[in-house]
Amino acid sequence: TVPYMFNRGRHIPPATGPFGSAAAVSRAMGVSEDICVNAIAIAGSHAGGHLEYTNTGGSVKRCHCAIPSTNGLRSTMMAIHGITGPRSVIEGKRGFLATFAGQYDATKITNGLGEDYRLLDTSYKMVASPYSAQGCLQAFDEVVRENGIKAEDIESIEIVSSPFTIKNVGVIFEPADILEAHFSTAFGCAVRLFRGGNGVYDYKTEDLKDPKFLDIARRVKFTPDDAMEEERVRFNSRPAAAKIV
């Protein structure tokens, strides 16, 4: 489901989030099974979200988990007040899987249900960028630290990663705002060099038009690696390598 949705420009949290939020709110409010089922069914009408911000920015991305959370709450309240939804909202001929996912394995929805809790798999991001950029910027940081590299030493930078990663965070080189900067691995390399890290407070508005930051970003080249793509899918990881000349 996830690769297909991403390749079509869908963002997973606002697309799938309303279902989980509706289930959680229903549990928290102690509603009946029938109301819970309708809440989840209604949540399908709130599913949405796209990835265009990875190309041209927009601060709405920061709300892409808040929006589905709100929609799940709204769905539950609608169900409590008598609104109903299609009970085949997920697997139906015109349901979520068919219209959003296209390619999917429906068994994954119920595999481990009640035994495997995804909440236990959450973790903190090491840098203030999307999950896709974590490996790239950590690899770059490691090369910089181990070799004591300064910005003035650099002729070129090569970031090797999966095609999926490059498509997601290797497109923007001259970000227009802070959100675009977070989605720009190239600009993130400059932030690491001049600010010393890639934490949330290392990204500053005054740096967006700074010639020295932009010069470093333009020196970054991305190389797709099919083996890393296979590794990314198999291990749900973000493999990357960095080379600095």
Side-chain angles (χ1 to χ4, degrees):
T1 297
V2 173
Y4 186 84
M5 290 179 67
F6 258 96
N7 290 337
R8 296 184 66 195
R10 290 283 187 186
H11 191 210
I12 305 303
T16 63
F19 296 105
S21 175
V25 173
S26 294
R27 178 66 180 269
M29 296 186 69
V31 302
S32 68
E33 178 181 333
D34 187 63
I35 289 176
C36 179
V37 169
N38 276 305
I40 294 173
I42 295 167
S45 293
H46 287 117
H50 53 79
L51 291 163
E52 185 57 26
Y53 57 80
T54 64
N55 293 322
T56 53
S59 59
V60 69
K61 193 276 175 182
R62 300 191 188 281
C63 303
H64 268 209
C65 286
I67 289 172
S69 297
T70 302
N71 286 339
L73 171 61
R74 182 180 291 113
S75 298
T76 306
M77 297 308 298
M78 291 172 68
I80 289 173
H81 285 84
I83 303 298
T84 60
R87 299 200 170 202
S88 56
V89 64
I90 294 176
E91 76 280 7
K93 292 181 179 180
R94 293 184 173 182
F96 179 83
L97 293 178
T99 57
F100 275 69
Q103 299 172 354
Y104 57 86
D105 178 1
T107 64
K108 290 186 178 295
I109 298 174
T110 53
N111 282 349
L113 187 64
E115 299 176 359
D116 298 331
Y117 296 94
R118 298 304 181 190
L119 186 63
L120 300 178
D121 294 333
T122 58
S123 62
Y124 288 101
K125 292 179 178 177
M126 298 297 290
V127 300
S129 285
Y131 186 30
S132 297
Q134 302 295 302
C136 298
L137 290 175
Q138 289 180 55
F140 179 75
D141 172 72
E142 186 174 308
V143 175
V144 169
R145 283 188 294 104
E146 289 185 356
N147 297 278
I149 296 174
K150 305 297 183 184
E152 57 269 23
D153 303 327
I154 294 176
E155 177 181 312
S156 65
I157 300 167
E158 181 182 14
I159 301 293
V160 182
S161 193
S162 68
F164 173 90
T165 294
I166 294 171
K167 182 178 180 179
N168 200 29
V169 294
V171 177
I172 300 172
F173 288 82
E174 299 182 16
D177 55 33
I178 293 298
L179 185 71
E180 283 196 25
H182 287 168
F183 272 82
S184 172
T185 297
F187 194 83
C189 291
V191 172
R192 166 60 185 86
L193 289 168
F194 294 115
R195 293 297 183 185
N198 291 101
V200 64
Y201 297 113
D202 293 319
Y203 289 81
K204 303 180 184 298
T205 302
E206 60 263 30
D207 297 335
L208 297 177
K209 301 301 180 183
D210 190 320
K212 68 176 183 289
F213 280 75
L214 296 176
D215 177 62
I216 290 295
R218 294 189 192 105
R219 293 172 186 263
V220 178
K221 173 188 176 183
F222 293 95
T223 302
D225 185 282
D226 291 337
M228 288 187 177
E229 179 67 18
E230 191 274 336
E231 182 180 339
R232 180 191 71 82
V233 173
R234 182 151 52 100
F235 296 111
N236 191 29
S237 61
R238 292 298 180 267
K243 176 182 178 181
I244 301 175
V245 176

